[in-house]
Amino acid sequence: MLTQVSLGDCVQMRKPHACGGNVWTVIRAGADIKIRCQTCGHIVMLDRLKFLKSGKKTLAGAENAAIETAGVNEE
């Protein structure tokens, strides 16, 4: 179960999406959480409690994702 979430986090969910992917990106964080599937691009909105219960773990935070993409662009 997840404990916190912030905008831009990559999150692995417990159950896979219909497309087979289970990695999602948080695109809105508030009372409701809006996430986008990284495999097919489908967007889903969940209330915060349901999202925190269905999340398995955070793969990369917004800070880590920004650093990784900056390193890729420099090469």
Side-chain angles (χ1 to χ4, degrees):
M1 185 167 131
L2 297 173
T3 57
Q4 62 180 352
V5 65
S6 61
L7 190 64
D9 284 352
C10 292
V11 179
Q12 182 179 8
M13 302 302 278
R14 293 190 187 278
K15 293 186 178 179
H17 186 236
C19 68
N22 65 347
V23 179
W24 299 75
T25 304
V26 177
I27 56 175
R28 180 184 184 275
D32 295 322
I33 308 292
K34 189 181 276 190
I35 54 177
R36 175 182 291 133
C37 179
Q38 288 188 349
T39 307
C40 68
H42 186 79
I43 296 174
V44 176
M45 184 177 269
L46 302 167
D47 62 89
R48 180 175 283 273
L49 183 61
K50 183 170 175 99
F51 173 78
L52 293 175
K53 284 185 177 180
S54 7
K56 189 171 185 179
K57 64 181 175 179
T58 301
L59 300 175
E63 303 85 21
N64 295 339
I67 291 169
E68 291 172 4
T69 55
V72 172
N73 292 336
E74 291 176 2
E75 293 178 0

